């Protein structure tokens, strides 16, 4: 029966080309816009590290003085160097890393290449294992390298190719900040989206090109970058990046395999801050946070409000397109009142009329979905040309492809229900008489 | 024109009429809000920074490693920049309009105060900043040379203090609503007060950090910034010389030493930075325009489709009216009036929907309330759209010959 109805639907399309084209176009436009914005939304709200996002926790505490203290406020977004280093030293998690953004001046060995400045990440040994970074050559450095302030570096694949060409650069020397570093590893392409480990300088920017031990970066006084919040004048030769500076500017992540370990770690943090308060370093009451990746992304409201607004707009647009399709389907089915009347008079049940109309509506949806997918591809192409950090990530994937067709067919069936209902109410007698 | 026959016909096609009404209502609601969002973006894009953007370019220098002699080198750099033909003035600042860097600090009114009165954005620069950016000093005076300290050294010594401060008007208004800011002391950096010596008409923050209302809340603090912590700002005499000056400036900075990096990408005009800064707002505005156009087209096509169906369905009725003496013009007007009625109901519902939608946007995106004048704009647009869309089918109806009345439909 379905095949027969499908065949009838195609015949009916041929009879009413303009009207059918209008319906297909309306569904296609609505679906195209919705799928485009949904794809962007999905890319931006996705899990950047799905295999272990529930085992990685962002650590925060409230180390400032009582000045400007408001009870109930969130803890500071970043950590002081003192606390980050203390937690790293005590190493109570399965893995842990402190980190900060920085920049280094690179002096290439090759002839004709002028020195240039690179974005860097200063971190500690567990960073690579914790975030499952893919390696093309070599590996990360060891904990001992952190302690000995070793001159070692991991670089990105792009940087390796720029500086060393196609050869494996591990073991080779790279001059940065007037110091020779030994390249121990080359990352393969790695771009977690959002860049969850440090979102203070943009949520969707690319990962850094060079990674150095944090201890080494302080030893060499390499320039740091990113947000810094100080509540008192830093003293000491290193200023605001000094070991005791009253400034928050570091990110701290800990890996905890089980919820039980997370609970233990939470207690450990509370214990740590109580001790700091007892020692007179902290003034505020305990306000520690141990936030898993996805909760942290949500708290930071990573998805830009423009993108959320676009999703709303697209669905509003889809609603108008659907209303339009309902009207056109209604017109189309009512116009066929005579034909339906004859079929009813010949014994077709209301149910079969209803089914026939729905199949026709669904077929419109199928065609609309196909065209809508092309429009969505076009829309995503337009998004990729937009001036946003995330633009190049907006691509169709198999899931969204399925979603497109499911949405188009569901939408057209929904639009078809009312007209089909009206069509099956056609009374055979009246229609036959008016013929 | 008699409305009664139209209404009685419509009442026999309730579903189709309701669909048109709803479609118009939804379009009206979305179009009004989208127009409002576009206006918001345009207003944002047009915000002035207070700087004379057409005349300012920027260039940055970095060293290969930490430079103990940075301040001396910075002063030589500035002298070299000022010596370039076509350059009116030059300075260096820790931050600039549309830049990435944003220095903020809290302001206290007394030494004993706990907590801050407000947070302001800090332009730390020497006495040439006002002239270089082309800021308008509306009260008080500029910094004198001896008020400008060595910021790099103050920081390494851990004792930063600025004896004087120049406020942006917005900051002055918020701190001193009575308008008596000049001569007062503020606690901005360190434990010693900074005296307010001047007010500039406007100086925006580098970027939208904090609430939209605080965009102009910044201050200028007197300090010689080492080249490694800031960017050079150069004022050109004639905007057409900007590119030439930028090229010369990069050469001049490179010539100062073999250990310097001058990134060509960081050598830009302030105008191009403004352009880049608002790219996304412009893209969003264009997207909203596209949504409005697509919505109106889809709505129009829907009206055309349903109206054509109606005309076809009623062709016999039309024929009878023509046979009874109705003119073509009357038939045409009949369908136009019918559409006008439907559009009016749709627009009325649409306005309520527009406000409901705006309420939702206000809650979720902290948008302001939809001003009333957007409603007539949306209404007129949809009335016009309806009339244009219905014209084709209505004309076809008017062309139905009276003889149709005698045929059996």
């Amino acid at each position: 029966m379905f095949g027969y109805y499908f065949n009838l639907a195609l015949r009916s399309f041929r009879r009413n080309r303009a009207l059918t084209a209008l319906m297909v176009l309306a569904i296609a436009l609505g679906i195209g816009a919705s799928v485009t914005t949904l794809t962007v939304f999905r890319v931006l709200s996705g899990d950047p590290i799905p295999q272990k996002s529930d085992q990685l926790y962002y650590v925060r505490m409230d180390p400032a003085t009582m000045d400007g203290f408001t009870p109930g406020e969130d803890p500071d977004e970043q950590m002081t160097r003192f606390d980050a280093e203390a937690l790293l030293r005590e190493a109570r998690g399965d893995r842990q890393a402190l980190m900060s953004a920085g920049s280094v001046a690179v002096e290439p060995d090759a002839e004709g290449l002028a020195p240039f400045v690179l974005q860097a990440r200063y971190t500690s040994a567990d960073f690579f294992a914790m975030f499952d970074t893919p390696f093309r050559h070599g590996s990360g450095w060891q904990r001992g390298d952190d302690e000995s302030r070793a001159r070692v570096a991991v670089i990105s694949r792009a940087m390796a190719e720029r500086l060393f060409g196609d050869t494996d650069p591990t073991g080779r020397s790279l001059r940065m900040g007037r110091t020779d570093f030994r390249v121990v590893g080359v990352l393969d392409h790695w771009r977690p989206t959002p860049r969850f480990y440090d979102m203070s300088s943009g949520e969707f920017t690319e990962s850094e090109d060079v990674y150095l031990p944090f201890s080494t970066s302080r030893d060499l006084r390499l320039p740091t970058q990113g947000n810094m919040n100080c509540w008192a004048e830093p003293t000491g030769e290193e200023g605001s990046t000094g070991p005791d500076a009253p400034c928050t500017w570091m990110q701290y992540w800990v890996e905890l395999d089980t919820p039980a370990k997370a609970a233990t770690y939470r207690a450990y943090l509370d214990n740590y801050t109580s001790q700091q308060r007892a020692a007179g370093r902290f003034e505020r009451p305990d306000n520690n946070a141990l936030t898993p990746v996805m909760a942290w992304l949500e708290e930071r409201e990573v998805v830009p409000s423009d993108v959320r607004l676009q999703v709303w707009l697209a669905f509003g647009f889809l609603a108008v397109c659907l209303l339009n399709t309902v009207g056109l389907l209604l017109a189309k089915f009512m116009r066929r009142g005579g034909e339906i009347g004859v079929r009813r008079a010949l014994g077709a049940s209301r149910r079969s009329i209803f089914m026939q109309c729905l199949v026709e509506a669904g077929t419109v949806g199928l065609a609309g979905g196909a065209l809508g997918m092309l429009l969505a591809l076009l829309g995503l192409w337009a998004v990729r040309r937009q001036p946003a950090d995330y633009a190049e990530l907006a691509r169709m994937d198999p899931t969204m492809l399925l979603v497109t067709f499911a949405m188009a067919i569901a939408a057209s069936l929904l639009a078809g229900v009312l007209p089909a209902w009206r069509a099956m109410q056609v009374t055979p007698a009246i229609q036959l008489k008016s013929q | 024109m008699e409305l009664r026959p139209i209404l009685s016909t419509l009442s026999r096609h309730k579903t189709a009429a309701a669909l048109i009404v709803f479609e118009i209502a939804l379009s009206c609601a979305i179009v009004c809000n989208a127009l409002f969002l576009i206006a918001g973006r345009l207003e944002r894009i047009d915000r002035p920074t207070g700087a004379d953007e057409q005349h300012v370019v920027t260039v940055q220098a970095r060293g290969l490693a930490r430079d103990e002699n940075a301040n001396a080198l910075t002063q030589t750099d500035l002298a070299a920049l000022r010596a370039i033909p076509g350059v009116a003035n030059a300075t260096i600042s820790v931050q600039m309009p549309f830049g990435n860097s944003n220095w903020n600090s809290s302001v206290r009114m007394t030494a004993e105060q706990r907590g801050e009165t407000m947070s302001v954005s800090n332009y730390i620069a020497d006495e040439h900043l006002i002239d270089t950016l082309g800021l308008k000093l509306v009260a008080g005076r500029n910094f004198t040379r001896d008020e400008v300290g060595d910021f790099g050294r103050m920081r390494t010594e851990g004792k930063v203090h600025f004896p004087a401060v120049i406020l942006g008007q917005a900051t002055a208004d918020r701190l001193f609503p009575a308008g008596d800011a000049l001569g007062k002391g503020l606690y901005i950096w360190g434990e010693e007060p900074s005296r307010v010596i001047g007010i500039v008409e406007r100086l925006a923050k580098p970027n939208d950090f904090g609430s939209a209302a605080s965009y102009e809340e910044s201050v200028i603090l007197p300090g010689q910034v080492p080249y490694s912590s800031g960017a050079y700002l150069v004022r050109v005499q004639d905007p057409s010389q900007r590119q030439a000056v930028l090229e010369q400036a990069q050469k001049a900075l490179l010539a100062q030493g073999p250990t310097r990096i001058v990134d060509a990408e960081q050598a830009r005009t302030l105008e191009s930075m403004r352009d880049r800064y608002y790219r996304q707002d412009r893209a969003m505005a264009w997207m909203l325009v596209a949504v409005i156009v697509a919505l109106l087209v889809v709505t129009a096509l829907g009206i055309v489709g349903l109206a054509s169906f109606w005309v076809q369905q009623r062709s016999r009725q039309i024929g009878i009216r023509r046979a009874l003496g109705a003119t073509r013009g009357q038939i045409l007007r009949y369908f136009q009036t019918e559409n006008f009625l439907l559009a009016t109901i749709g627009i009325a519902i649409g306005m309520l929907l527009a406000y409901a939608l705006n309420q939702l946007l206000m809650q979720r995106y902290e948008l302001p309330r939809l001003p009333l004048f957007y409603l007539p704009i949306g209404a007129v647009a949809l009335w016009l759209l309806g009339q244009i869309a219905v014209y084709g089918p209505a004309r076809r109806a008017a062309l139905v010959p009276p003889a149709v009345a005698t045929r059996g439909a």
Side-chain angles (χ1 to χ4, degrees):
Chain A
M1 227 38 199
F2 183 82
Y4 174 60
Y5 290 155
F6 186 68
N7 201 344
L8 281 183
L10 291 184
R11 276 165 192 273
S12 134
F13 286 175
R14 239 167 287 151
R15 246 179 299 143
N16 271 307
R17 283 189 196 166
L19 210 56
T20 311
L22 270 185
M23 287 190 284
V24 170
L25 191 67
I27 296 223
L29 280 174
I31 294 292
S34 311
V35 169
T36 304
T37 56
L38 267 186
T39 306
V40 173
F41 184 82
R42 217 170 78 93
V43 167
L44 301 192
S45 59
D47 188 338
I49 179 160
Q51 67 279 23
K52 59 202 293 191
S53 60
D54 53 346
Q55 296 167 29
L56 297 176
Y57 297 84
Y58 189 63
V59 180
R60 283 171 294 164
M61 37 185 72
D62 226 348
T65 57
M66 285 308 278
D67 280 354
F69 173 66
T70 323
E73 254 184 12
D74 287 335
D76 206 286
E77 281 207 2
Q78 303 185 89
M79 297 269 282
T80 64
R81 178 173 165 191
F82 183 96
D83 297 316
E85 287 184 332
L87 293 191
L88 186 73
R89 210 165 33 241
E90 293 179 15
R92 297 295 185 89
D94 294 319
R95 292 193 179 105
Q96 46 262 309
L98 50 68
M99 63 197 78
S100 172
S103 66
V104 290
V106 180
E107 294 168 75
D109 218 5
E111 285 286 319
L113 275 180
F116 54 93
V117 177
L118 265 193
Q119 300 303 308
R121 180 138 298 262
Y122 310 142
T123 182
S124 53
D126 284 355
F127 179 90
F128 305 98
M130 204 155 104
F131 296 142
D132 281 350
T133 61
F135 274 95
R136 184 164 167 78
H137 300 295
S139 64
W141 59 84
Q142 306 305 312
R143 283 184 201 190
D145 294 325
D146 284 329
E147 281 146 33
S148 65
R149 298 154 183 249
R151 278 30 173 174
V152 289
V154 168
I155 58 178
S156 70
R157 181 175 174 173
M159 199 41 54
E161 281 165 5
R162 178 170 170 188
L163 291 169
F164 301 101
D166 286 337
T167 58
D168 174 1
T170 50
R172 299 212 14 205
S173 166
L174 179 57
R175 195 158 171 78
M176 294 183 286
R178 306 244 93 168
T179 309
D180 286 319
F181 283 78
R182 184 166 49 87
V183 177
V184 293
V186 176
L187 292 184
D188 213 334
H189 179 75
W190 186 57
R191 184 181 181 179
T193 310
R195 204 182 71 163
F196 66 98
Y197 57 82
D198 178 9
M199 295 180 288
S200 57
S201 54
E203 286 89 351
F204 301 102
T205 42
E206 291 192 41
S207 302
E208 286 83 356
D209 271 321
V210 56
Y211 302 78
L212 310 174
F214 176 74
S215 54
T216 312
S217 81
R218 292 305 86 219
D219 209 26
L220 298 173
R221 310 275 192 274
L222 295 174
T224 61
Q225 280 184 345
N227 276 349
M228 177 177 279
N229 178 21
C230 300
W231 53 90
E233 201 68 43
T235 49
E237 185 248 339
E238 279 188 73
S240 51
T241 55
D244 307 316
C247 303
T248 52
W249 58 287
M250 302 204 62
Q251 302 90 45
Y252 193 88
W253 286 88
V254 57
E255 181 175 340
L256 301 160
D257 289 345
T258 61
K261 282 187 188 169
T264 316
Y265 198 85
R266 227 175 276 272
Y268 157 69
L269 280 183
D270 288 343
N271 186 36
Y272 172 84
T273 48
S274 317
Q275 279 176 11
Q276 294 302 314
R277 211 172 24 251
R281 236 191 103 237
F282 281 15
E283 294 180 5
R284 301 187 175 192
D286 278 355
N287 188 9
N288 303 324
L290 188 64
T291 321
V293 174
M294 291 315 280
W296 179 227
L297 295 184
E298 203 163 307
E299 199 174 324
R300 285 272 322 213
E301 293 187 355
V302 162
V303 180
S305 64
D306 272 8
V307 172
R308 277 180 289 152
L309 197 61
Q310 285 166 4
V311 175
W312 282 100
L313 266 175
F315 276 87
F317 180 60
L318 178 63
V320 172
C321 291
L322 279 189
L323 271 179
N324 198 338
T325 310
V326 175
L328 296 177
L329 276 176
L330 193 67
K332 199 167 179 218
F333 292 164
M334 293 327 275
R335 198 182 278 188
R336 293 223 304 270
E339 175 200 322
I340 295 170
V342 173
R343 285 201 58 212
R344 289 276 287 126
L346 291 177
S349 67
R350 290 197 162 171
R351 199 168 156 268
S352 55
I353 300 287
F354 187 76
M355 284 310 293
Q356 186 204 333
C357 291
L358 268 196
V359 168
E360 190 170 332
T363 314
V364 170
L366 203 65
L371 187 59
M373 198 195 65
L374 291 180
L375 288 180
L377 288 176
L378 191 72
L380 287 172
W381 173 81
V383 170
R384 284 198 294 274
R385 294 171 53 94
Q386 270 195 17
D389 286 337
Y390 56 78
E392 56 175 300
L393 302 162
R395 281 173 202 285
M396 179 76 82
D397 61 3
T399 322
M400 283 317 285
L401 208 72
L402 278 179
V403 169
T404 311
F405 280 98
M407 253 173 70
I409 292 174
S412 62
L413 288 181
L414 195 71
V417 167
L418 176 78
W421 179 263
R422 292 295 301 265
M424 81 179 199
Q425 307 291 341
V426 166
T427 31
I430 291 175
Q431 286 296 335
L432 287 178
K433 210 171 81 188
S434 72
Q435 291 281 315
Chain B
M1 167 136 267
E2 183 77 68
L3 286 181
R4 218 155 38 87
I6 298 180
L7 290 175
S8 78
T9 316
L10 279 181
S11 70
R12 263 180 286 131
H13 292 96
K14 282 196 208 83
T15 323
L19 282 172
I20 291 204
V21 166
F22 268 128
E23 202 180 324
I24 290 178
L26 210 51
S27 296
C28 180
I30 298 178
V31 166
C32 283
N33 278 287
L35 282 174
F36 177 51
L37 289 172
I38 292 175
R41 297 286 159 154
L42 294 184
E43 204 176 303
R44 206 178 114 79
I45 291 172
D46 278 342
R47 288 181 306 177
T49 54
D52 177 5
E53 290 161 29
Q54 300 297 315
H55 285 87
V56 183
V57 299
T58 175
V59 58
Q60 260 183 38
R62 292 288 176 261
L64 291 175
R66 225 160 68 102
D67 192 341
E68 301 297 340
N69 202 21
N71 192 40
L73 191 52
T74 309
Q75 297 309 314
T76 333
D77 281 351
L78 283 171
L81 289 174
R82 290 191 190 112
I84 295 171
V87 168
N89 205 345
T91 186
I92 182 167
S93 167
V94 292
Q95 63 179 34
M96 64 181 141
F98 310 118
N100 291 325
S101 181
N102 193 351
W103 293 56
N104 287 280
S105 62
S106 56
V107 178
R108 292 170 302 139
M109 308 300 280
T110 62
E112 301 78 40
Q113 183 179 341
R114 311 276 279 171
E116 61 185 33
T117 302
M118 70 185 288
S119 172
V120 293
S121 184
N122 300 174
Y123 283 83
I124 300 170
D126 62 14
E127 73 275 19
H128 294 285
L129 182 78
I130 289 186
D131 179 50
T132 303
L133 283 184
L135 304 177
K136 206 166 147 200
L137 196 64
V138 290
R141 60 168 176 86
N142 194 357
F143 300 127
T144 57
R145 183 82 244 196
D146 56 321
E147 282 166 336
V148 183
D150 181 344
F151 181 59
R153 209 181 63 217
M154 286 194 268
R155 283 190 93 200
T156 46
E157 286 172 359
K159 280 188 80 155
V160 181
H161 172 62
F162 301 106
V165 57
I166 294 176
L167 308 183
Q169 186 72 56
T171 312
D173 289 346
R174 197 162 147 198
L175 289 172
F176 303 97
D180 54 351
L182 278 188
K184 295 277 167 57
L186 289 177
Y187 293 80
I188 298 190
W189 283 64
E191 295 307 310
E192 297 291 315
S194 308
R195 211 157 56 82
V196 179
I197 59 151
I199 296 173
V200 290
E201 184 185 39
R202 175 178 285 120
L203 179 55
K205 291 181 184 179
N207 41 47
D208 286 85
F209 178 85
S211 72
S214 72
Y215 181 59
E216 288 185 8
E217 290 174 353
S218 52
V219 301
I220 310 173
L221 296 163
Q224 285 176 9
V225 177
Y227 71 89
S228 50
S229 316
Y232 291 112
L233 293 165
V234 178
R235 180 177 186 79
V236 297
Q237 279 153 359
D238 178 355
S240 66
Q241 297 165 319
R242 283 179 292 182
Q243 281 311 323
V245 166
L246 272 177
E247 277 160 33
Q248 297 249 21
Q250 291 178 62
K251 276 192 206 127
L253 292 180
L254 276 173
Q256 296 291 321
T259 60
R260 318 204 77 195
I261 302 172
V262 179
D263 189 346
E265 275 176 36
Q266 301 296 326
R268 295 174 289 187
T269 66
L270 215 51
E271 198 183 25
S272 71
M273 290 173 76
R274 163 181 278 275
D275 234 41
R276 192 188 160 85
Y277 186 76
Y278 287 117
R279 273 196 312 186
Q280 200 150 349
D281 292 281
R282 265 198 305 277
M284 187 72 185
W286 279 114
M287 204 221 66
L288 288 165
V289 169
V291 165
I292 292 178
V293 170
L295 255 183
L296 294 181
V297 168
V298 165
T299 308
L301 289 180
I303 294 174
V304 171
L306 268 184
S308 312
F309 159 66
W310 253 331
V311 168
Q312 199 182 16
Q313 215 184 23
R314 292 188 225 156
S315 60
R316 204 175 144 188
Q317 181 201 341
I318 297 165
I320 293 171
R321 285 197 58 200
R322 290 278 285 130
L324 291 176
T327 62
R328 297 217 150 134
Q330 278 171 329
I331 301 290
L332 191 71
R333 272 197 298 284
Y334 172 90
F335 282 99
Q336 285 177 327
T337 313
E338 183 187 73
N339 182 272
F340 184 79
L341 273 180
L342 292 178
T344 307
I345 305 172
I347 288 165
I349 301 175
M351 295 196 167
L352 296 178
L353 268 182
Y355 259 83
L357 199 60
N358 176 238
Q359 201 66 37
L360 201 79
L361 291 176
M362 277 165 66
Q363 278 165 14
R364 286 183 174 264
Y365 304 107
E366 293 166 14
L367 282 174
R369 182 174 292 285
L370 184 69
L372 277 173
F373 67 86
Y374 280 95
L375 299 181
I377 297 179
V380 169
L382 282 159
W383 265 319
L384 273 179
L385 184 81
Q387 291 302 313
I388 294 169
V390 88
Y391 183 75
R395 219 172 65 93
R396 239 173 297 135
L399 290 177
V400 169
V404 168
T406 61
R407 287 188 219 136

